[in-house]
Amino acid sequence: MDAMINSEASQETLYTEIKSFFDSAPPLRDAPDISRKLDEFLKWNSVSPGSERGSRIVCVTSGGTTVPLEQRCVRYIDNFSSGHRGAASTEYFLKAGYSVIFLYRRGTCQPYCRSLPDDPLLECFESASDSNIQVRQLHSEAVKRAISEHNVAVAKGLLLKLPFTTIFEYLQILQLIALSMRSLGAHAMFYLAAAVSDFYVPWESMAEHKIQSGSGPLDMRLVQVPKMLSVLRKEWVPMAFCISFKLETDSKILLEKADMALTKYRMHVVVANELSTRKEEVVVVTSSGKFSVRRDKTQAGADVESPLIELLVEKHSAYIEDSKS
Amino acid sequence: MDAMINSEASQETLYTEIKSFFDSAPPLRDAPDISRKLDEFLKWNSVSPGSERGSRIVCVTSGGTTVPLEQRCVRYIDNFSSGHRGAASTEYFLKAGYSVIFLYRRGTCQPYCRSLPDDPLLECFESASDSNIQVRQLHSEAVKRAISEHNVAVAKGLLLKLPFTTIFEYLQILQLIALSMRSLGAHAMFYLAAAVSDFYVPWESMAEHKIQSGSGPLDMRLVQVPKMLSVLRKEWVPMAFCISFKLETDSKILLEKADMALTKYRMHVVVANELSTRKEEVVVVTSSGKFSVRRDKTQAGADVESPLIELLVEKHSAYIEDSKS
């Protein structure tokens, strides 16, 4: 009984924190445009009446969020994330027949572009003799694949890309996406691979101008970002299949933290990964057990995301079946 | 006399801080490769004996440096900088006959690529009917210019690009560049447009693993990055023509801070710019006066860097003349 009161009280506190986070955030600039794109995308991908198989839509989040330290932003705290996981997973979800809303950090890895060099335009092309440009032989296949497969997915209306930079933008757009995907019920999936900041500086307590150096060390106090996973799961999309990620550098605490996240935020799956081995192996943590998923080393260029998405699609199918009964 | 003793004492302190910064920094991974590239570039661009006009080389630094908050880096503090200033200036320096060492933050704007969209490969190309790809008409000129002019400058050995990410890498590479350009005397120029972190976490006091959330606010103490401008100017390249930048969001303190930087670090020029108007106007601050430089608004696409570099090249020429007497 006491525990229940405590839990209700802490839920109350969380909701107050979340309200204060959103109230204090700078307004999302292109909200109407994003909402319009979401509406069109969901309408396009919605099931036609009488269709045998409900269309499935996954929101894949990718890359790290920034935390501005000044209102007129010069300095910010960033989370390292190449966006490789999100980009690769998007490809495998599309292959599995899902439509994908790709919520990504500006400048991070894009679907079908993983095998390109850092600066593809300058590195993959060269001037030809006739004052034209041509693709360098070495990158020819990668470039063709990137452009054709990426553009086909976008043109067919199966891939909607929405960029963010700050933690404020990320959570504001995620809320817009969640509220518009709510009507999909169990057919909606959230695959939250973005590296979301844990700490932030509340907008109103932020320095207006650039922080001045020159007078000794800089002391900063950052407050915790309210745990949006709870509210996403319980309030925004109570029926959706939700997958979050746990990245640690210390393998000793990884699985324990993944278990905690599973219970605390009532996720359906937590994907546990360690920084140094994250491209080789992940552990899929669910309430019914832990499944280790490894890259197929016998195949050149095989991704760990291939078996990972396969397993998650199976679990999602089972979840949809269960939700019918 | 007292002032002199103080100044010597503070110089002593600075050198101790710098030594401790470099000693504690993680070793630069590709130092031998960078040194080899620098040697080749300088050899290629060195004056042939009896040449009338000494060849001029400028080191342009561009983009922001990061400050890791953890040794196995997940979180870091970043300085916002698109690298637009450095990229544009590089183009105008090349046009003015300089060879350029472009020390840039990975992922920031590249010379000749300023008019391209954020994600040029995916946005500028489309699939053609014959399973080939082609440039979209809209971006055709920008793409051709980017690839041909950029690649020509690199291929002719007039542009050497060296990337960095962290403050440690930036200062380590800058030192390598400076020490190898020392022999150029007054013909060397340093154009320090990078947004360099003012504060950092010393490597040895950094958390080894990811900082854990979950237990209240996060307090951080950052210490000042030692002012390398002093040591660059006095020790590394005492004869080079040195230009630093002062960016502020508050116009009221901008010129005052630029004046201070000019005196304190004995720069030849400080370019003062305000965040909101930096693409329209800058002020060139020298010991002989302040010169306001504005973009030519009568010409479409004119850059403020065009008159800026013109003025700096004149000042550099005068400096070279002076140094002969």
Side-chain angles (χ1 to χ4, degrees):
Chain A
M1 180 71 191
D2 269 7
M4 209 164 142
I5 292 173
N6 276 340
S7 143
E8 272 173 23
S10 76
Q11 182 144 326
E12 193 70 18
T13 314
L14 176 65
Y15 288 176
T16 314
E17 281 172 11
I18 288 174
K19 188 173 179 319
S20 125
F21 179 89
F22 278 117
D23 285 351
S24 83
L28 183 63
R29 251 189 280 174
D30 37 5
D33 189 45
I34 294 171
S35 293
R36 185 187 50 74
K37 285 182 183 162
L38 279 169
D39 281 351
E40 285 174 9
F41 185 80
L42 292 173
K43 211 168 171 183
W44 176 257
N45 287 289
S46 64
V47 209
S48 51
S51 156
E52 198 168 278
R53 182 165 163 273
S55 83
R56 298 184 186 180
I57 300 184
V58 59
C59 169
V60 173
T61 71
S62 188
T65 63
T66 68
V67 167
L69 298 177
E70 298 144 331
Q71 284 191 7
R72 303 189 195 186
C73 185
V74 176
R75 299 190 187 87
Y76 55 91
I77 297 185
D78 205 347
N79 270 32
F80 164 75
S81 175
S82 64
H84 189 277
R85 174 87 75 212
S89 304
T90 294
E91 297 171 27
Y92 289 104
F93 276 122
L94 286 165
K95 205 171 163 186
Y98 282 66
S99 301
V100 182
I101 298 173
F102 184 59
L103 178 59
Y104 70 100
R105 165 69 180 278
R106 279 186 187 83
T108 55
C109 190
Q110 296 296 298
Y112 306 110
C113 296
R114 293 177 289 133
S115 55
L116 294 171
D118 274 355
D119 198 337
L121 190 76
L122 295 177
E123 294 178 55
C124 298
F125 293 85
E126 58 193 354
S127 302
S129 49
D130 51 355
S131 93
N132 270 324
I133 54 161
Q134 65 188 26
V135 187
R136 288 183 206 271
Q137 196 56 42
L138 176 66
H139 298 294
S140 168
E141 281 315 304
V143 167
K144 273 190 206 170
R145 173 164 185 258
I147 293 166
S148 59
E149 300 200 27
H150 174 276
N151 290 2
V152 161
V154 172
K156 282 194 175 165
L158 301 174
L159 173 60
L160 174 65
K161 304 205 303 176
L162 298 172
F164 66 84
T165 302
T166 67
I167 177 81
F168 301 110
E169 288 170 345
Y170 172 77
L171 289 173
Q172 286 164 327
I173 303 176
L174 184 63
Q175 188 182 30
L176 288 179
I177 296 171
L179 296 178
S180 46
M181 282 174 70
R182 190 187 170 102
S183 60
L184 298 171
H187 288 85
M189 187 198 276
F190 281 79
Y191 182 86
L192 304 161
V196 182
S197 319
D198 296 313
F199 298 99
Y200 80 116
V201 184
W203 194 255
E204 70 271 31
S205 74
M206 212 180 277
E208 187 193 352
H209 287 295
K210 191 178 164 192
I211 298 165
Q212 293 299 319
S213 64
S215 43
L218 175 67
D219 290 309
M220 280 196 307
R221 164 157 286 198
L222 300 164
V223 305
Q224 281 194 48
V225 174
K227 299 297 181 189
M228 294 291 173
L229 287 182
S230 295
V231 73
L232 173 95
R233 178 73 185 83
K234 288 183 204 163
E235 307 285 327
W236 298 347
V237 277
M239 290 294 293
F241 190 68
C242 293
I243 299 153
S244 73
F245 281 72
K246 198 79 208 168
L247 173 74
E248 293 292 340
T249 60
D250 185 355
S251 62
K252 290 194 287 292
I253 60 171
L254 177 61
L255 290 181
E256 186 193 329
K257 299 216 68 156
D259 272 327
M260 276 169 53
L262 193 76
T263 318
K264 192 169 173 190
Y265 310 123
R266 294 172 52 204
M267 289 290 110
H268 299 100
V269 173
V270 175
V271 179
N273 54 154
E274 207 196 313
L275 189 63
S276 59
T277 59
R278 68 192 189 284
K279 292 190 177 176
E280 297 298 322
E281 177 184 8
V282 299
V283 179
V284 170
V285 178
T286 71
S287 57
S288 61
K290 295 185 174 63
F291 309 87
S292 176
V293 176
R294 286 195 179 80
R295 191 171 77 81
D296 179 0
K297 286 184 190 167
T298 62
Q299 266 193 291
D303 300 307
V304 68
E305 288 80 7
S306 171
L308 171 62
I309 302 308
E310 197 180 316
L311 179 60
L312 293 176
V313 169
E314 276 170 27
K315 300 226 165 277
H316 189 202
S317 300
Y319 176 78
I320 293 173
E321 278 310 304
D322 276 358
S323 72
K324 287 180 185 160
S325 55
Chain B
M1 181 68 192
D2 269 6
M4 208 162 141
I5 292 173
N6 276 339
S7 144
E8 273 173 22
S10 76
Q11 182 145 329
E12 193 70 19
T13 314
L14 176 66
Y15 288 175
T16 313
E17 282 171 11
I18 289 174
K19 187 172 181 318
S20 126
F21 178 90
F22 278 117
D23 285 351
S24 84
L28 182 63
R29 251 189 280 174
D30 36 6
D33 188 46
I34 295 170
S35 294
R36 183 187 51 75
K37 284 181 184 163
L38 278 169
D39 281 351
E40 285 174 10
F41 185 80
L42 292 172
K43 210 167 173 185
W44 176 257
N45 286 289
S46 63
V47 208
S48 50
S51 156
E52 200 168 279
R53 182 166 163 274
S55 82
R56 298 184 187 180
I57 300 183
V58 59
C59 169
V60 173
T61 71
S62 188
T65 63
T66 69
V67 167
L69 297 177
E70 298 144 332
Q71 284 191 7
R72 303 189 195 182
C73 185
V74 177
R75 298 191 187 86
Y76 55 91
I77 296 185
D78 204 347
N79 270 30
F80 165 76
S81 176
S82 64
H84 190 277
R85 174 89 73 213
S89 304
T90 294
E91 297 171 28
Y92 289 104
F93 276 122
L94 286 165
K95 205 172 163 185
Y98 282 66
S99 302
V100 182
I101 298 171
F102 184 61
L103 178 59
Y104 71 99
R105 165 71 180 277
R106 280 186 187 84
T108 55
C109 190
Q110 296 296 298
Y112 306 110
C113 296
R114 294 178 287 133
S115 56
L116 294 171
D118 274 357
D119 198 337
L121 190 75
L122 294 178
E123 294 179 53
C124 298
F125 293 85
E126 58 193 355
S127 302
S129 50
D130 51 352
S131 93
N132 270 323
I133 54 160
Q134 65 188 26
V135 187
R136 288 183 205 271
Q137 196 56 40
L138 176 67
H139 299 293
S140 166
E141 281 315 305
V143 167
K144 273 190 207 169
R145 175 165 183 257
I147 293 166
S148 59
E149 300 200 26
H150 174 277
N151 289 1
V152 161
V154 172
K156 281 194 177 165
L158 302 174
L159 173 60
L160 174 65
K161 304 205 304 176
L162 298 172
F164 65 83
T165 302
T166 67
I167 177 79
F168 301 110
E169 288 170 345
Y170 172 77
L171 289 173
Q172 286 165 327
I173 303 176
L174 184 63
Q175 187 182 31
L176 288 179
I177 296 172
L179 296 179
S180 45
M181 281 174 70
R182 189 188 172 102
S183 60
L184 298 171
H187 287 84
M189 187 198 276
F190 281 79
Y191 181 88
L192 304 161
V196 182
S197 319
D198 296 313
F199 299 99
Y200 79 115
V201 184
W203 194 255
E204 70 272 27
S205 74
M206 212 179 278
E208 186 193 353
H209 287 294
K210 191 178 164 193
I211 298 164
Q212 292 301 317
S213 64
S215 43
L218 175 66
D219 290 307
M220 279 196 309
R221 164 157 285 198
L222 300 165
V223 305
Q224 281 194 50
V225 174
K227 299 296 180 189
M228 294 291 173
L229 286 183
S230 295
V231 73
L232 173 95
R233 177 73 185 84
K234 289 182 204 162
E235 307 285 327
W236 297 348
V237 276
M239 290 295 293
F241 190 69
C242 292
I243 299 152
S244 73
F245 281 72
K246 199 79 208 169
L247 173 74
E248 292 292 340
T249 61
D250 185 355
S251 61
K252 291 194 287 292
I253 60 170
L254 176 61
L255 290 181
E256 185 193 329
K257 298 217 69 157
D259 271 328
M260 274 169 53
L262 193 75
T263 318
K264 192 168 172 190
Y265 309 123
R266 294 171 54 203
M267 289 290 110
H268 299 101
V269 173
V270 174
V271 179
N273 55 153
E274 207 197 312
L275 189 63
S276 59
T277 59
R278 67 193 191 283
K279 291 190 176 176
E280 297 298 322
E281 178 186 6
V282 298
V283 179
V284 169
V285 178
T286 71
S287 57
S288 61
K290 295 185 175 63
F291 308 88
S292 176
V293 176
R294 285 194 179 81
R295 189 172 78 82
D296 180 359
K297 285 183 189 167
T298 63
Q299 266 193 290
D303 301 307
V304 67
E305 287 81 6
S306 170
L308 172 62
I309 303 307
E310 196 180 317
L311 178 61
L312 293 176
V313 169
E314 277 170 26
K315 299 224 166 280
H316 189 202
S317 300
Y319 176 79
I320 293 173
E321 277 310 303
D322 277 0
S323 74
K324 286 180 185 160
S325 56

